[in-house]
Amino acid sequence: MPVDHRVPIALTIAGSDPSGGAGLQADLKTFHRHGVYGASVVTLLTVQNTLGVTGIEFLAPAFVAAQCDAVIGDLAPAAAKTGALGRADIIEAVAGAVGSCGIPLVVDPVMFTKHGHPILEDSAVDALVRRLLPLAHLVTPNLAEASRLAGFAVDSPESMERAARVIASLGPRHVLVKGGHREVGAMDLLWSDGRAHVFASERIASTRTHGTGCTLSAAITARLALGEELVAAVAAARMFVRAAIAGAPAVGHGVGPVDHFASITPIAAAGGAHGR
Ligand code: PXL
């Protein structure tokens, strides 16, 4: 007999990393670790391992849109995120498919992989800004992405806040500028409802950091699907990624993945405590 219980559902719209550390594979593992049922719409395929990316192939925009429609129409996810989108026409297709569905959308504006391989065509940044950022509940740029979106160098706490304000003016409700690539410490800045929340932590020295950005935005999305409020979700998702970096397993010969088995903080749910 099937058990008739409901499970929170989260959707990722992202690229595939066959080595399993980043992209939609990291998102699904992170959703699962949070007790959330994960669905995934594929936008592009990479040939990739921990040593780098050697190939990329894009799916047809209409095929991406059809996947979104199929999953959203049937499963009604409680939250969604986007990862690597690749090209302007895929962004247009995704924006068209998710625009009217009212699901809180976390946009990870992925532009490059850890090895510096472009995963968003330069010409697609304009489509990202025009079509996707206005739909975003939260956008999560790292320093390089924040610089590109804001149009000036972002390399200090002061410029992170300035960039967050500029990016917020492009339409997203909340902006998380991730400072993890600064050498001096892991400081992230969340611009939310007209004020800055600063999250500062000691930097963890590790070369196993493949997929940290994907894992962070997926953890936030999972927590939103569970009914957690945004600031609490960001704080707890950061802790998950820190634990995942600290416990990263030995996988592959290059920049290895983080530990998707890391412990999660219980959900501080406003609505539905899920208790896993
Ligand atoms: O972490 C960014 C990212 C997103 N999506 C895919 C990736 C990567 C980084 O490697 O491979 C598919």
Side-chain angles (χ1 to χ4, degrees), residues 60-114:
F63 197 79
V64 175
Q67 292 180 74
C68 291
D69 292 343
V71 172
I72 293 169
D74 186 29
L75 276 61
K81 67 157 275 190
T82 60
L85 296 169
R87 283 196 333 214
D89 54 4
I90 298 177
I91 292 172
E92 299 279 350
V94 168
V98 302
S100 58
C101 68
I103 304 169
L105 183 67
V106 176
V107 174
D108 186 359
V110 186
M111 296 180 187
F112 296 94
T113 68
K114 268 288 171 313

Short mmCIF file of all heavy atoms in Angstrom, two decimals, residues 60-114:
data_model
loop_
_atom_site.label_atom_id
_atom_site.label_comp_id
_atom_site.label_asym_id
_atom_site.label_seq_id
_atom_site.Cartn_x
_atom_site.Cartn_y
_atom_site.Cartn_z
N ALA A 60 17.89 22.33 -26.26
CA ALA A 60 17.06 23.28 -27.01
C ALA A 60 16.15 24.03 -26.04
O ALA A 60 15.55 23.42 -25.16
CB ALA A 60 16.23 22.54 -28.04
N PRO A 61 16.06 25.36 -26.17
CA PRO A 61 15.24 26.14 -25.23
C PRO A 61 13.82 25.63 -25.09
O PRO A 61 13.29 25.57 -23.97
CB PRO A 61 15.27 27.55 -25.84
CG PRO A 61 16.54 27.60 -26.60
CD PRO A 61 16.78 26.22 -27.12
N ALA A 62 13.18 25.22 -26.20
CA ALA A 62 11.80 24.72 -26.11
C ALA A 62 11.74 23.43 -25.29
O ALA A 62 10.74 23.17 -24.60
CB ALA A 62 11.23 24.49 -27.51
N PHE A 63 12.80 22.65 -25.36
CA PHE A 63 12.85 21.40 -24.59
C PHE A 63 13.01 21.70 -23.10
O PHE A 63 12.42 21.02 -22.24
CB PHE A 63 14.01 20.54 -25.12
CG PHE A 63 13.92 19.10 -24.72
CD1 PHE A 63 13.07 18.24 -25.40
CD2 PHE A 63 14.69 18.60 -23.68
CE1 PHE A 63 12.99 16.89 -25.04
CE2 PHE A 63 14.60 17.27 -23.32
CZ PHE A 63 13.75 16.41 -24.00
N VAL A 64 13.79 22.73 -22.78
CA VAL A 64 13.94 23.15 -21.38
C VAL A 64 12.60 23.66 -20.85
O VAL A 64 12.16 23.30 -19.75
CB VAL A 64 15.03 24.23 -21.24
CG1 VAL A 64 15.10 24.76 -19.81
CG2 VAL A 64 16.39 23.69 -21.68
N ALA A 65 11.93 24.48 -21.65
CA ALA A 65 10.63 25.02 -21.23
C ALA A 65 9.62 23.89 -21.04
O ALA A 65 8.83 23.91 -20.08
CB ALA A 65 10.11 26.02 -22.26
N ALA A 66 9.65 22.90 -21.93
CA ALA A 66 8.71 21.78 -21.81
C ALA A 66 8.95 20.99 -20.52
O ALA A 66 8.00 20.56 -19.85
CB ALA A 66 8.82 20.87 -23.03
N GLN A 67 10.23 20.82 -20.15
CA GLN A 67 10.53 20.15 -18.88
C GLN A 67 9.96 20.96 -17.71
O GLN A 67 9.37 20.40 -16.78
CB GLN A 67 12.04 20.02 -18.68
CG GLN A 67 12.76 19.10 -19.61
CD GLN A 67 14.26 19.11 -19.26
OE1 GLN A 67 14.68 18.55 -18.25
NE2 GLN A 67 15.04 19.78 -20.07
N CYS A 68 10.17 22.28 -17.74
CA CYS A 68 9.66 23.14 -16.65
C CYS A 68 8.14 22.99 -16.55
O CYS A 68 7.60 22.79 -15.45
CB CYS A 68 10.00 24.61 -16.91
SG CYS A 68 11.73 25.03 -16.78
N ASP A 69 7.45 23.08 -17.69
CA ASP A 69 5.99 23.01 -17.67
C ASP A 69 5.52 21.66 -17.13
O ASP A 69 4.58 21.59 -16.33
CB ASP A 69 5.43 23.22 -19.09
CG ASP A 69 5.66 24.64 -19.59
OD1 ASP A 69 5.94 25.52 -18.75
OD2 ASP A 69 5.57 24.87 -20.81
N ALA A 70 6.20 20.59 -17.58
CA ALA A 70 5.79 19.25 -17.15
C ALA A 70 5.91 19.10 -15.64
O ALA A 70 5.01 18.59 -14.96
CB ALA A 70 6.65 18.20 -17.86
N VAL A 71 7.03 19.57 -15.09
CA VAL A 71 7.29 19.36 -13.67
C VAL A 71 6.46 20.32 -12.82
O VAL A 71 5.84 19.91 -11.83
CB VAL A 71 8.80 19.53 -13.37
CG1 VAL A 71 9.06 19.52 -11.87
CG2 VAL A 71 9.60 18.44 -14.06
N ILE A 72 6.42 21.58 -13.20
CA ILE A 72 5.70 22.57 -12.38
C ILE A 72 4.20 22.27 -12.40
O ILE A 72 3.54 22.29 -11.36
CB ILE A 72 6.02 24.00 -12.87
CG1 ILE A 72 7.48 24.33 -12.61
CG2 ILE A 72 5.11 25.02 -12.17
CD1 ILE A 72 7.97 25.61 -13.28
N GLY A 73 3.68 21.94 -13.58
CA GLY A 73 2.25 21.67 -13.69
C GLY A 73 1.81 20.48 -12.86
O GLY A 73 0.73 20.48 -12.28
N ASP A 74 2.63 19.49 -12.77
CA ASP A 74 2.24 18.26 -12.08
C ASP A 74 2.62 18.28 -10.60
O ASP A 74 1.83 17.92 -9.74
CB ASP A 74 2.91 17.07 -12.78
CG ASP A 74 2.46 15.73 -12.22
OD1 ASP A 74 1.30 15.65 -11.74
OD2 ASP A 74 3.24 14.77 -12.28
N LEU A 75 3.87 18.69 -10.29
CA LEU A 75 4.38 18.53 -8.92
C LEU A 75 4.14 19.75 -8.03
O LEU A 75 4.23 19.64 -6.80
CB LEU A 75 5.89 18.23 -8.94
CG LEU A 75 6.32 16.78 -9.16
CD1 LEU A 75 5.84 16.24 -10.50
CD2 LEU A 75 7.83 16.63 -9.05
N ALA A 76 3.92 20.91 -8.63
CA ALA A 76 3.73 22.16 -7.88
C ALA A 76 4.79 22.34 -6.78
O ALA A 76 4.47 22.34 -5.59
CB ALA A 76 2.32 22.20 -7.27
N PRO A 77 6.07 22.48 -7.17
CA PRO A 77 7.12 22.64 -6.17
C PRO A 77 6.89 23.87 -5.29
O PRO A 77 6.33 24.87 -5.74
CB PRO A 77 8.41 22.79 -6.99
CG PRO A 77 7.97 23.12 -8.37
CD PRO A 77 6.61 22.54 -8.54
N ALA A 78 7.36 23.77 -4.04
CA ALA A 78 7.18 24.88 -3.10
C ALA A 78 8.26 25.94 -3.26
O ALA A 78 8.10 27.07 -2.80
CB ALA A 78 7.19 24.34 -1.68
N ALA A 79 9.39 25.58 -3.88
CA ALA A 79 10.47 26.54 -4.13
C ALA A 79 11.30 26.00 -5.29
O ALA A 79 11.30 24.80 -5.56
CB ALA A 79 11.35 26.71 -2.89
N ALA A 80 12.00 26.91 -5.98
CA ALA A 80 12.83 26.50 -7.12
C ALA A 80 14.11 27.32 -7.13
O ALA A 80 14.17 28.41 -6.55
CB ALA A 80 12.07 26.68 -8.44
N LYS A 81 15.13 26.77 -7.79
CA LYS A 81 16.37 27.53 -8.00
C LYS A 81 16.81 27.35 -9.44
O LYS A 81 16.46 26.36 -10.09
CB LYS A 81 17.48 27.09 -7.05
CG LYS A 81 18.02 25.69 -7.27
CD LYS A 81 19.44 25.52 -6.72
CE LYS A 81 20.53 25.98 -7.70
NZ LYS A 81 21.90 25.62 -7.30
N THR A 82 17.58 28.32 -9.92
CA THR A 82 18.26 28.15 -11.20
C THR A 82 19.76 28.11 -10.95
O THR A 82 20.28 28.78 -10.06
CB THR A 82 17.93 29.28 -12.20
OG1 THR A 82 18.35 30.54 -11.65
CG2 THR A 82 16.44 29.34 -12.52
N GLY A 83 20.44 27.29 -11.75
CA GLY A 83 21.90 27.23 -11.73
C GLY A 83 22.42 27.64 -13.09
O GLY A 83 22.00 28.68 -13.63
N ALA A 84 23.27 26.82 -13.68
CA ALA A 84 23.84 27.16 -14.98
C ALA A 84 22.75 27.17 -16.05
O ALA A 84 22.02 26.19 -16.22
CB ALA A 84 24.93 26.15 -15.34
N LEU A 85 22.65 28.27 -16.78
CA LEU A 85 21.61 28.40 -17.80
C LEU A 85 22.21 28.54 -19.20
O LEU A 85 21.51 28.36 -20.20
CB LEU A 85 20.71 29.61 -17.48
CG LEU A 85 19.92 29.45 -16.17
CD1 LEU A 85 19.26 30.76 -15.77
CD2 LEU A 85 18.89 28.34 -16.28
N GLY A 86 23.47 28.88 -19.28
CA GLY A 86 24.22 28.77 -20.53
C GLY A 86 24.05 29.88 -21.54
O GLY A 86 25.02 30.53 -21.91
N ARG A 87 22.83 30.06 -22.00
CA ARG A 87 22.62 30.95 -23.15
C ARG A 87 21.39 31.82 -22.95
O ARG A 87 20.46 31.44 -22.25
CB ARG A 87 22.42 30.12 -24.41
CG ARG A 87 23.67 29.55 -24.98
CD ARG A 87 23.52 29.06 -26.40
NE ARG A 87 22.21 28.64 -26.80
CZ ARG A 87 21.98 27.65 -27.65
NH1 ARG A 87 22.98 26.96 -28.15
NH2 ARG A 87 20.74 27.34 -27.99
N ALA A 88 21.35 32.93 -23.68
CA ALA A 88 20.22 33.87 -23.55
C ALA A 88 18.90 33.21 -23.91
O ALA A 88 17.89 33.43 -23.24
CB ALA A 88 20.47 35.09 -24.45
N ASP A 89 18.90 32.37 -24.96
CA ASP A 89 17.61 31.78 -25.36
C ASP A 89 17.09 30.79 -24.32
O ASP A 89 15.88 30.62 -24.15
CB ASP A 89 17.68 31.19 -26.78
CG ASP A 89 18.81 30.20 -26.97
OD1 ASP A 89 19.53 29.89 -26.00
OD2 ASP A 89 18.98 29.72 -28.12
N ILE A 90 18.00 30.14 -23.59
CA ILE A 90 17.55 29.23 -22.51
C ILE A 90 17.00 30.06 -21.35
O ILE A 90 15.98 29.70 -20.74
CB ILE A 90 18.71 28.31 -22.06
CG1 ILE A 90 19.16 27.43 -23.24
CG2 ILE A 90 18.29 27.45 -20.86
CD1 ILE A 90 20.34 26.51 -22.94
N ILE A 91 17.64 31.18 -21.06
CA ILE A 91 17.13 32.06 -19.99
C ILE A 91 15.73 32.56 -20.33
O ILE A 91 14.84 32.56 -19.49
CB ILE A 91 18.10 33.24 -19.76
CG1 ILE A 91 19.41 32.71 -19.16
CG2 ILE A 91 17.47 34.31 -18.86
CD1 ILE A 91 20.51 33.73 -19.07
N GLU A 92 15.54 32.96 -21.58
CA GLU A 92 14.20 33.42 -22.02
C GLU A 92 13.17 32.31 -21.81
O GLU A 92 12.06 32.55 -21.33
CB GLU A 92 14.22 33.82 -23.51
CG GLU A 92 15.16 34.96 -23.86
CD GLU A 92 14.57 36.33 -23.56
OE1 GLU A 92 13.38 36.42 -23.24
OE2 GLU A 92 15.35 37.32 -23.63
N ALA A 93 13.55 31.09 -22.17
CA ALA A 93 12.62 29.96 -22.05
C ALA A 93 12.28 29.69 -20.58
O ALA A 93 11.12 29.47 -20.22
CB ALA A 93 13.24 28.71 -22.68
N VAL A 94 13.30 29.73 -19.73
CA VAL A 94 13.07 29.47 -18.30
C VAL A 94 12.22 30.58 -17.69
O VAL A 94 11.27 30.32 -16.95
CB VAL A 94 14.43 29.33 -17.56
CG1 VAL A 94 14.24 29.34 -16.04
CG2 VAL A 94 15.14 28.05 -18.00
N ALA A 95 12.54 31.82 -18.03
CA ALA A 95 11.78 32.95 -17.48
C ALA A 95 10.31 32.84 -17.91
O ALA A 95 9.40 33.06 -17.10
CB ALA A 95 12.38 34.28 -17.94
N GLY A 96 10.09 32.47 -19.15
CA GLY A 96 8.72 32.30 -19.64
C GLY A 96 7.98 31.21 -18.89
O GLY A 96 6.80 31.35 -18.57
N ALA A 97 8.69 30.14 -18.55
CA ALA A 97 8.04 29.00 -17.91
C ALA A 97 7.81 29.22 -16.42
O ALA A 97 6.82 28.72 -15.86
CB ALA A 97 8.88 27.74 -18.12
N VAL A 98 8.71 29.93 -15.74
CA VAL A 98 8.56 30.07 -14.28
C VAL A 98 7.92 31.41 -13.89
O VAL A 98 7.52 31.58 -12.74
CB VAL A 98 9.90 29.91 -13.51
CG1 VAL A 98 10.53 28.56 -13.80
CG2 VAL A 98 10.87 31.04 -13.81
N GLY A 99 7.82 32.32 -14.87
CA GLY A 99 7.42 33.69 -14.56
C GLY A 99 6.09 33.83 -13.87
O GLY A 99 5.93 34.66 -12.97
N SER A 100 5.12 33.01 -14.26
CA SER A 100 3.77 33.23 -13.76
C SER A 100 3.38 32.24 -12.68
O SER A 100 2.25 32.25 -12.21
CB SER A 100 2.79 33.12 -14.93
OG SER A 100 2.94 31.84 -15.51
N CYS A 101 4.33 31.36 -12.26
CA CYS A 101 3.89 30.27 -11.38
C CYS A 101 3.93 30.65 -9.90
O CYS A 101 3.41 29.91 -9.06
CB CYS A 101 4.69 29.00 -11.64
SG CYS A 101 6.40 29.12 -11.18
N GLY A 102 4.53 31.80 -9.57
CA GLY A 102 4.45 32.28 -8.18
C GLY A 102 5.29 31.51 -7.18
O GLY A 102 5.14 31.68 -5.97
N ILE A 103 6.20 30.65 -7.64
CA ILE A 103 7.06 29.87 -6.73
C ILE A 103 8.25 30.75 -6.34
O ILE A 103 8.83 31.40 -7.22
CB ILE A 103 7.61 28.62 -7.45
CG1 ILE A 103 6.47 27.78 -8.01
CG2 ILE A 103 8.49 27.79 -6.53
CD1 ILE A 103 6.96 26.68 -8.95
N PRO A 104 8.63 30.80 -5.06
CA PRO A 104 9.85 31.55 -4.71
C PRO A 104 11.05 30.99 -5.48
O PRO A 104 11.31 29.79 -5.44
CB PRO A 104 10.01 31.34 -3.20
CG PRO A 104 8.92 30.43 -2.77
CD PRO A 104 7.99 30.18 -3.90
N LEU A 105 11.74 31.88 -6.18
CA LEU A 105 12.83 31.45 -7.07
C LEU A 105 14.16 31.99 -6.56
O LEU A 105 14.31 33.20 -6.37
CB LEU A 105 12.55 31.99 -8.49
CG LEU A 105 13.52 31.58 -9.58
CD1 LEU A 105 13.42 30.08 -9.87
CD2 LEU A 105 13.24 32.37 -10.87
N VAL A 106 15.11 31.07 -6.36
CA VAL A 106 16.47 31.45 -6.00
C VAL A 106 17.30 31.40 -7.27
O VAL A 106 17.36 30.35 -7.93
CB VAL A 106 17.05 30.49 -4.94
CG1 VAL A 106 18.51 30.83 -4.64
CG2 VAL A 106 16.21 30.54 -3.65
N VAL A 107 17.89 32.52 -7.65
CA VAL A 107 18.70 32.58 -8.88
C VAL A 107 20.18 32.61 -8.49
O VAL A 107 20.65 33.58 -7.89
CB VAL A 107 18.34 33.81 -9.73
CG1 VAL A 107 19.29 33.93 -10.93
CG2 VAL A 107 16.89 33.71 -10.23
N ASP A 108 20.89 31.52 -8.81
CA ASP A 108 22.34 31.48 -8.63
C ASP A 108 22.92 31.88 -9.99
O ASP A 108 22.85 31.10 -10.94
CB ASP A 108 22.75 30.05 -8.24
CG ASP A 108 24.22 29.94 -7.90
OD1 ASP A 108 24.94 30.94 -7.97
OD2 ASP A 108 24.65 28.82 -7.56
N PRO A 109 23.42 33.12 -10.11
CA PRO A 109 23.79 33.61 -11.45
C PRO A 109 25.15 33.08 -11.90
O PRO A 109 26.09 33.83 -12.16
CB PRO A 109 23.82 35.13 -11.24
CG PRO A 109 24.28 35.28 -9.82
CD PRO A 109 23.73 34.10 -9.06
N VAL A 110 25.21 31.76 -12.03
CA VAL A 110 26.48 31.07 -12.32
C VAL A 110 27.05 31.54 -13.64
O VAL A 110 26.39 31.44 -14.67
CB VAL A 110 26.24 29.55 -12.41
CG1 VAL A 110 27.55 28.82 -12.55
CG2 VAL A 110 25.47 29.03 -11.22
N MET A 111 28.28 32.01 -13.62
CA MET A 111 28.93 32.47 -14.85
C MET A 111 30.14 31.61 -15.22
O MET A 111 30.42 31.39 -16.39
CB MET A 111 29.33 33.93 -14.72
CG MET A 111 28.11 34.84 -14.55
SD MET A 111 28.55 36.59 -14.41
CE MET A 111 26.94 37.29 -14.02
N PHE A 112 30.86 31.15 -14.20
CA PHE A 112 32.07 30.35 -14.44
C PHE A 112 32.10 29.17 -13.48
O PHE A 112 31.58 29.25 -12.38
CB PHE A 112 33.34 31.19 -14.20
CG PHE A 112 33.49 32.33 -15.15
CD1 PHE A 112 33.02 33.59 -14.81
CD2 PHE A 112 34.08 32.15 -16.39
CE1 PHE A 112 33.14 34.65 -15.70
CE2 PHE A 112 34.20 33.21 -17.29
CZ PHE A 112 33.74 34.46 -16.94
N THR A 113 32.75 28.07 -13.88
CA THR A 113 32.97 26.96 -12.94
C THR A 113 34.19 27.30 -12.08
O THR A 113 34.90 28.28 -12.34
CB THR A 113 33.24 25.64 -13.68
OG1 THR A 113 34.51 25.74 -14.33
CG2 THR A 113 32.18 25.35 -14.72
N LYS A 114 34.43 26.44 -11.08
CA LYS A 114 35.59 26.64 -10.20
C LYS A 114 36.90 26.77 -10.96
O LYS A 114 37.82 27.45 -10.55
CB LYS A 114 35.73 25.45 -9.23
CG LYS A 114 35.05 25.56 -7.89
CD LYS A 114 35.69 26.53 -6.95
CE LYS A 114 34.91 26.82 -5.71
NZ LYS A 114 33.55 27.10 -5.63
#
